[in-house]
Amino acid sequence: MASSPHLLSILFLLFLSSFCVSPILGTSVTAAAHRVEGGIIPIEKIKNALSNANFFTMSLTLDMALNTTIPSEFFNSNDKTITIFCPLDRAFMSPGFKYAGPPLTLLRYHVALGKFDREALDSPKLHWSKVETLLTGHALVVTSVNGRASINGVSITHWNLYNDGHVIVHGVEEFFDPAFQTIWFPQYDGGVPININDESVTVGSRNVVDFLLKLIE
């Protein structure tokens, strides 16, 4: 009999599959690579890199859903980059995280629009920055404190699981909860860029979250 973690992963993938839209007939999209005018998303390479790093559930998840998650127009230019944050396998069975939305929606929240490598996320300059995602209107928040890189309060545990300059993949400890941004940074709702030095970014919220993050270090 399959172990509990593997069983939960299988159930998640089966549930996810019900939300994945098949490619339109006549297109050249395949499971191996998502071909668009400006480039290719090398799904097979990403899947293998994750599998080799023991991110088995996310490896299978991206293999199944990446084609229908990333809009092709995003790769119409060679200067565009996405950063994917992949939770560890144990995050799929964490009792502390409950997300009511469809799994594909949650996956979109883990794809950031832009290049976010270790150098950028370790930098204090990005602290409290808003990071746009594929989940329109729901941003991530950089919460790195004292050299501990994190997003939405979740630690980044593995850097550059995959990086070809257009697709960057990092490993994170848990799923990102959209409620973190909604509760602590409601001013980041919507698609309007925010200046983190603006007074509208509540100093009280930043100080409280900073304090909480330091407590769990």
Side-chain angles (χ1 to χ4, degrees), residues 5 14 38 47 56 67-68 71 76 82 108 121 131 152 158 199:
L14 289 174
K47 180 185 75 171
F56 299 113
N67 275 334
T68 55
N76 284 345
I82 58 168
R108 290 192 179 107
L121 292 173
V131 176
N152 282 28
H158 296 71
E199 290 299 322

Side-chain angles (χ1 to χ4, degrees), residues 75-211:
F75 277 84
N76 284 345
S77 173
N78 288 328
D79 62 356
K80 291 187 177 180
T81 303
I82 58 168
T83 304
I84 305 172
F85 297 95
C86 294
L88 296 164
D89 275 14
R90 66 171 179 261
F92 286 80
M93 53 180 177
S94 172
F97 183 79
K98 297 179 177 64
Y99 180 67
L104 194 57
T105 301
L106 182 58
L107 180 61
R108 290 192 179 107
Y109 190 58
H110 288 69
V111 181
L113 302 180
K115 178 182 179 181
F116 296 95
D117 53 18
R118 183 169 190 170
E119 181 180 1
L121 292 173
D122 271 343
S123 170
K125 294 180 181 180
L126 279 187
H127 191 42
W128 299 131
S129 291
K130 175 184 180 181
V131 176
E132 298 289 356
T133 72
L134 284 180
L135 187 57
T136 305
H138 296 276
L140 297 170
V141 182
V142 179
T143 51
S144 303
V145 177
N146 295 337
R148 176 180 174 268
S150 65
I151 303 283
N152 282 28
V154 176
S155 296
I156 299 174
T157 58
H158 296 71
W159 296 101
N160 293 321
L161 293 170
Y162 181 84
N163 188 343
D164 65 5
H166 293 291
V167 180
I168 300 173
V169 182
H170 301 312
V172 294
E173 193 170 20
E174 299 284 349
F175 281 101
F176 298 145
D177 189 346
F180 178 91
Q181 176 265 310
T182 303
I183 293 171
W184 292 105
F185 297 89
Q187 64 271 24
Y188 283 178
D189 286 344
V192 180
I194 300 292
N195 179 355
I196 62 172
N197 295 317
D198 195 285
E199 290 299 322
S200 64
V201 179
T202 308
V203 175
S205 293
R206 291 187 292 181
N207 289 342
V208 170
V209 177
D210 264 343
F211 175 74

Side-chain angles (χ1 to χ4, degrees), residues 55-73:
F55 284 74
F56 299 113
T57 306
M58 279 304 297
S59 172
L60 293 171
T61 299
L62 294 183
D63 184 39
M64 179 184 297
L66 200 56
N67 275 334
T68 55
T69 300
I70 300 176
S72 60
E73 60 267 20

